[in-house]
Structure formats: C-alpha cells, structure tokens
Amino acid sequence: MTGMLASVTSLDEAKLAIEVGADVIDLKDPARGALGALEARTAREIVTAFGGKVTLSATVGDFPAMDAGEVLAAARHTAALGVHFVKVGLFGTPRDVDCVRALTTLTSETRLIAVQFADLAPDLDLCERLVEARFAGVMLDTARKEGLGLRGLLSQSQLSRFVRGAQALGLITGLAGKLRLADIAPLLDLRPDYLGFRGALCAQHQRSAGFDIQALRAVRVAIPSRQSDQARRPRLSAGQLP
C-alpha cells in the first residue's frame, strides 16, 4: 500500500493532517526552499505532541553547493529533534557522492532518506551508493516549485524504473513534486511507498498558504488508507499463514 506524506509548517497543520489520516507528517518550511528546515522550536513541539503517535520526518534544509561538512552538521541537528526519518537533498552535483559518503557516519543510528530532484538531472542509478551508505530510502521531488511538476519532468516509464529499482535494493521509495489530484492514480500504479504533498493540501494550491481541510480530505480519499486496508483484511491463524 502507498502512504500519504503531508508536509506541515506548524503544530496546527500537523493536527489537521493527522485528523484526516496522513501516514507521515513531514516537518518542512516551504518559505526556505524545496527542503527548507522548519524552525527547531516548532519542530520540537510537533515531535513532543505526536512523536509516539505517527511517523515523523523532517528536512535538513537546502544545501545546493553540497558541502559535505554542512550537510552532515544539518543532518545531525535534524536527527536530534527526535523524528523517525531525516530527509537530505541531493542537488545533482559532482559532490553528491561525497555527501552520501560523509552521511554514512549517521546511518547506524539515523534513518536517512535521500531526496533527488527531477528538475536537476537526477542520477537514477545512485541507489546502489545509497544502499552501500545504509540509507533507509530515496525520494524524487522537484527543486523549482514554480516550474513543472514531477510528472511533467519524468515519464511514467522513468518513474517506474526509479521505484522498481530502489525497491529491489530494499529502499523505501517516495514520489513528490507539485503533485495534484490528477497525478495520484497514475502514480499509485507504480506502487511507491509514499506520495508526498504540500501545495495540493493548501488554499489555492499555494504551498506557502495554510492547509485547506477540503483539499486535505480530497487527497486522503484518493489514496487508499493503509488503516482501512488492514481493517478489511481477515485475521489469519498460525495455520493459515502463507
């Protein structure tokens, strides 16, 4: 089953996303960039309120120069917030591999998600390096939110190759990047582990605006709920296990 990831900027937005049944609450400040880091005090409020109730992820901030020392320091700071997953952007530079290598020092105790950007010539074959560095997963997103969305930048076959290749290596997979309601059904066919949303959940689809509860509900309805699916499954006795 594919889960719903909702990027939030405040405790109130986190509450709304949890109320509609988002599977992952992603702490992010869209005013600071594609992976803008949420102010630490706000992030800690959300972790304190919901850390034991729902899966939480957080972004480390945008580091397009991909300085390994800066990225590593930001990842450590984010991990210290107590979230379940830490998302680190890879900006399509020759230094991406150096950053992945540097982050290996964290992966024994922190579940890292690499975020590649469809509009920055992503290396779709980087997944093997991520596995070697013990990353937990990888996502595709977009860096330029005023441009084309994910499905306008990569074909269905390219996205399928990414998802299947990453999952075959044991990586969690996510797809995001200006996704709208019309994008959900085609992307569900690819069976990623998560679809990520921000703008589609906000008033007038403006990612810097607050959440629109009707938009939240529309996205949740379009993605079959993991909880609902589990509730429909008959319980199996030990003798019935495959």
Side-chain angles (χ1 to χ4, degrees):
M1 292 291 290
T2 299
M4 172 187 171
L5 179 149
S7 292
V8 308
T9 64
S10 67
L11 183 63
D12 286 342
E13 286 191 351
K15 290 177 181 176
L16 285 176
I18 291 169
E19 285 176 7
V20 302
D23 300 291
V24 178
I25 303 302
D26 181 48
L27 315 187
K28 180 165 67 175
D29 185 350
R32 295 183 175 183
L35 296 181
L38 191 60
E39 195 270 331
R41 184 177 66 177
T42 302
R44 290 191 184 99
E45 288 177 348
I46 297 171
V47 171
T48 299
F50 301 117
K53 302 174 182 177
V54 67
T55 300
L56 300 176
S57 65
T59 56
V60 305
D62 284 2
F63 295 91
M66 295 306 294
D67 179 275
E70 290 181 350
V71 173
L72 178 59
R76 281 184 173 141
H77 172 78
T78 305
L81 297 172
V83 294
H84 302 95
F85 294 97
V86 173
K87 293 167 60 183
V88 179
L90 302 178
F91 284 79
T93 78
R95 304 182 76 178
D96 287 5
V97 174
D98 293 334
C99 288
V100 169
R101 188 179 300 114
L103 288 163
T104 304
T105 60
L106 289 184
T107 51
S108 63
E109 57 190 31
T110 301
R111 303 191 77 188
L112 296 180
I113 304 292
V115 181
Q116 295 185 278
F117 297 101
D119 47 353
L120 296 180
D123 180 359
L124 299 184
D125 295 317
L126 188 63
C127 289
E128 290 188 5
R129 295 290 187 95
L130 298 177
V131 171
E132 291 171 2
R134 301 190 300 277
F135 272 62
V138 60
M139 291 187 69
L140 276 178
D141 201 337
T142 55
R144 305 179 185 96
K145 301 305 179 181
E146 70 280 3
L148 293 172
L150 181 70
R151 293 185 64 240
L153 292 162
L154 295 176
S155 68
Q156 189 80 349
S157 62
Q158 287 174 305
L159 293 172
S160 176
R161 175 192 163 205
F162 168 78
V163 171
R164 288 186 290 106
Q167 289 179 339
L169 292 170
L171 293 168
I172 298 167
T173 58
L175 300 175
K178 294 189 68 177
L179 302 186
R180 299 292 185 256
L181 277 175
D183 297 315
I184 293 176
L187 294 180
L188 287 178
D189 287 341
L190 304 180
R191 299 184 179 181
D193 294 293
Y194 293 97
L195 295 179
F197 302 89
R198 174 62 195 179
L201 310 178
C202 297
Q204 288 81 51
H205 288 176
Q206 297 299 312
R207 65 195 300 264
S208 59
F211 276 172
D212 178 329
I213 188 61
Q214 298 304 322
L216 271 165
R217 288 171 176 161
V219 170
R220 176 68 278 180
V221 167
I223 302 173
S225 171
R226 289 178 167 183
Q227 293 179 350
S228 297
D229 180 71
Q230 290 171 356
R232 287 195 298 267
R233 294 176 185 172
R235 294 189 177 184
L236 299 178
S237 67
Q240 294 175 297
L241 291 175

